[in-house]
Amino acid sequence: MNAGPATGRPSTKERIVTAGAELFRRQGYTGTGLKQIVAEAEAPFGSVYHFFPGGKEQLGAEVVRTSGAAYGRLFTAAMETAPDPVTGVRDFFTGAAHTLVETGYADACPIATLALEVASTNEPLRQATAEVFTGWIALGTAAFAKAGAGEREARELTIALLSALEGAFVLARALRSTEPLEVAGESVAARASALLAAP
Amino acid sequence: MNAGPATGRPSTKERIVTAGAELFRRQGYTGTGLKQIVAEAEAPFGSVYHFFPGGKEQLGAEVVRTSGAAYGRLFTAAMETAPDPVTGVRDFFTGAAHTLVETGYADACPIATLALEVASTNEPLRQATAEVFTGWIALGTAAFAKAGAGEREARELTIALLSALEGAFVLARALRSTEPLEVAGESVAARASALLAAP
DNA sequence: CTATCGCTAGAGCGATCTATCAAGAACGAT
DNA sequence: ATCGTTCTTGATAGATCGCTCTAGCGATAG
């Protein structure tokens, strides 16, 4: 049970999940074939069905959960590093803009494309994306509440933040511009500032 | 050249575009086959390549432009009907929430799913989505400028609105809840109120 | 009536998709 | 050394993909 070698390349399963995550986020779920994933992961085709007996759908669910958790940690790190929540929000949006530019407008939200694709067509995967979003909302609510916001304000601020971020990603990737991320980030920062000032 | 009969069913080309628009918005571009489109449109398969010699990509581009223009008119109508811009914003978001619930969380933004799918994989279609978004930004900027905002404020408010709307659609469809639309709408309304008050 | 042309109609092509399967390699336990 | 388990490996099945092609229908003009 080679879970994770301390040295050398990651395990086959890890390589498959990583490659799947990258391709799903860039090309979507239906737009990515298993053949392409195993080619990118340098893994044998059969290994997919060894590690994921449920096939593409099970791989998709695992990718959603894994990348969702990783992105949640990214948000938490930005909020904990910043001196105050408003700065944390700004940092998170500018960081997202940097990543977007560095990857040629490919890497935005790790699950948004898949989420829209499966929302009305694949109930198990829709639930996986819903669980990730719910987790992110809990994460943000806790962070803003810790900063002094009421429970209700913290939750609404988080949902507004996630909405602005996801939508800005859509516009930014289509327009190949970081302007939406900058404007949306500033808008959320302003709202956070207003909500945190008036308890 | 049967462009549009005054009575009876729409032309074959119109039925193909309508069916394509509905399926692309719900299942995405790569997730929808031409066979499924012609079945839904009750059109012969060959007609697709008669009206769209460029194949699926050309059909996709026409769908994007057509539904983009229609959705832009929906926004303009909401803004012109409302007594003031802030109310217009609220109406637009609540209207979107109603549509979403009525269609079982299927009909949100007509081009968002496709836009994310093709952003890094299909340059012609990416450009089509970019043109639609650019048009929407121009539409909103004009509306807010007419209401008294400066050119810069009007543009940023529009981009913030579109970001919040698109992102709220992502969350709402995945979570099967209208809460993101309500919260995001209120957030944008608050920002619009602030920006329009202080010129 | 005949010729023309826009459109209908679907069989079929090569490619690609997900998924299955059987056999072999690697490795630890006894 | 032998067994058992885990993982690797790719050939292949069966369905579906986008797309091409030819044949025929129906309305209109000469």
Side-chain angles (χ1 to χ4, degrees), chain A residues 181-194:
Chain A
L181 279 168
E182 294 155 11
V183 171
E186 202 49 49
S187 178
V188 174
R191 182 130 176 97
S193 181

Side-chain angles (χ1 to χ4, degrees), chain B residues 49-71:
Chain B
Y49 285 86
H50 174 74
F51 294 111
F52 307 98
K56 191 184 186 183
E57 187 174 294
Q58 188 183 345
L59 171 59
E62 178 126 347
V63 164
V64 165
R65 273 184 265 271
T66 303
S67 351
Y71 206 69

Side-chain angles (χ1 to χ4, degrees), chain B residues 1 12 44-47 50-51:
Chain B
M1 57 177 74
T12 302
F45 185 84
S47 293
H50 174 74
F51 294 111

